Amino acid sequence: MNVSSLLVLLATSVFALSLGGVLILTNAADTDWSYAGDLGPGHWGKLFPEFAPCEEGNAQSPIDISDATEVDLVEVEFHYGETERTKQNITNNGHTIQVDVSDGSYVVYNGIAYDLAQFHFHSPSEHTIDGEAAAMELHFVHVDRNSNALAVVGVLLVEGEDENEAYTNIFDNMPAEAGEPETMAEPIDLEALLPQRRGYYTYQGSLTTPPCSEIVRWLLLDTPVELSRAQIEAYTALYSGNARPVQPLGKRDLLRSRR
Ligand SMILES: [Zn+2]
């Protein structure tokens, strides 16, 4: 390993730590990118040396989901509870609305436990199904307890008839302006944010934001969750277009669980 790859590894670790709930605001690079213009996705790889994977990587995310190979896969085991009031913050971080949780919720996948650190939203969805984007996508970011590998569970959010009450507490508390984390008054029932059916697509990929580190096992649930139009509009009034374009699948396997 040469010095530059060590630096990339270091930058990756720092970012993973910030995902782990330790908010690192000294990393100026983290804020100096955008979804449009000169700081947009097509330029990310050249903005900072540690963002190089954004253009040089070959296992990037998101991707278009099509022609997935159906196979028997293990279940994603969700161990989600209610958040504790003292440990749940909601932040408008300038790129999305993010809720940090650190109350012992986790998933087990292929025998590995990944702790839930935070969840956040994109609009439109980052992953597309046969070229079609959903209104929104929710990302539950989990960190392997023994490495800096991540497992991100993606949930597609689509427009339905009714208000989804599991999400009311979140959408009613989104800070309108980017700034410091705000404590949420009421706990969140994390399990209720998920669809009932847990079939999924999976592939090995990256963070969809700089530094685009290729450390993510993606688990995209194949059943969407419905929100009311008003709920979707509450989010898109703050963030619309915070989705990285899809990246080439390349030689990677894209699998779908048989169910
Ligand atoms: Zn995301």
Side-chain angles (χ1 to χ4, degrees), residues 4-38:
S4 69
S5 65
L6 188 68
L7 283 175
V8 168
L9 193 69
L10 214 61
T12 303
S13 310
V14 168
F15 192 76
L17 275 177
S18 75
L19 286 170
V22 183
L23 205 60
I24 295 170
L25 296 172
T26 51
N27 186 2
D30 196 19
T31 59
D32 291 340
W33 55 272
S34 156
Y35 284 101
D38 290 345

Side-chain angles (χ1 to χ4, degrees), residues 120-122 126 137-139 141 152 208-209 218:
H120 62 266
F121 300 89
H122 299 269
E126 297 205 294
E137 185 169 337
L138 170 52
H139 288 159
V141 180
V152 180
T208 64
T209 56
W218 278 95

Side-chain angles (χ1 to χ4, degrees), residues 15-234:
F15 192 76
L17 275 177
S18 75
L19 286 170
V22 183
L23 205 60
I24 295 170
L25 296 172
T26 51
N27 186 2
D30 196 19
T31 59
D32 291 340
W33 55 272
S34 156
Y35 284 101
D38 290 345
L39 300 176
H43 304 277
W44 287 352
K46 289 193 169 66
L47 294 179
F48 298 93
E50 63 265 39
F51 291 2
C54 300
E55 69 174 4
E56 291 173 3
N58 53 18
Q60 291 288 294
S61 297
I63 58 167
D64 179 49
I65 304 288
S66 57
D67 298 324
T69 307
E70 273 199 29
V71 289
D72 289 319
L73 294 172
V74 297
E75 279 182 36
V76 185
E77 297 171 31
F78 287 90
H79 300 268
Y80 280 8
E82 275 207 344
T83 58
E84 295 170 30
R85 291 165 199 236
T86 52
K87 291 180 179 173
Q88 106 195 300
N89 290 317
I90 189 164
T91 312
N92 181 331
N93 65 18
H95 302 299
T96 187
I97 301 294
Q98 177 172 318
V99 178
D100 294 309
V101 296
S102 56
D103 67 336
S105 287
Y106 62 100
V107 294
V108 176
Y109 188 65
N110 271 336
I112 299 174
Y114 298 85
D115 290 316
L116 178 62
Q118 49 104 332
F119 63 87
H120 62 266
F121 300 89
H122 299 269
S123 178
S125 68
E126 297 205 294
H127 290 93
T128 55
I129 308 284
D130 293 326
E132 295 279 328
M136 293 178 63
E137 185 169 337
L138 170 52
H139 288 159
F140 291 95
V141 180
H142 311 79
V143 186
D144 182 348
R145 293 172 185 173
N146 300 308
S147 77
N148 66 356
L150 304 181
V152 180
V153 172
V155 179
L156 298 172
L157 305 175
V158 298
E159 185 180 326
E161 294 290 308
D162 302 318
E163 178 176 338
N164 186 328
E165 291 179 359
Y167 285 77
T168 301
N169 178 21
I170 301 162
F171 287 167
D172 280 356
N173 285 288
M174 295 187 292
E177 307 286 337
E180 296 298 307
E182 296 178 12
T183 304
M184 295 182 73
E186 298 297 325
I188 300 167
D189 181 353
L190 294 165
E191 175 91 20
L193 302 177
L194 298 166
Q196 296 291 323
R197 301 179 70 153
R198 309 277 165 81
Y200 63 97
Y201 302 97
T202 186
Y203 71 101
Q204 190 63 34
S206 74
L207 302 178
T208 64
T209 56
C212 308
S213 314
E214 296 181 335
I215 56 171
V216 180
R217 168 52 55 179
W218 278 95
L219 302 162
L220 182 71
L221 301 188
D222 62 10
T223 302
V225 165
E226 292 187 353
L227 303 178
S228 69
R229 175 184 290 242
Q231 288 181 304
I232 291 168
E233 286 176 348

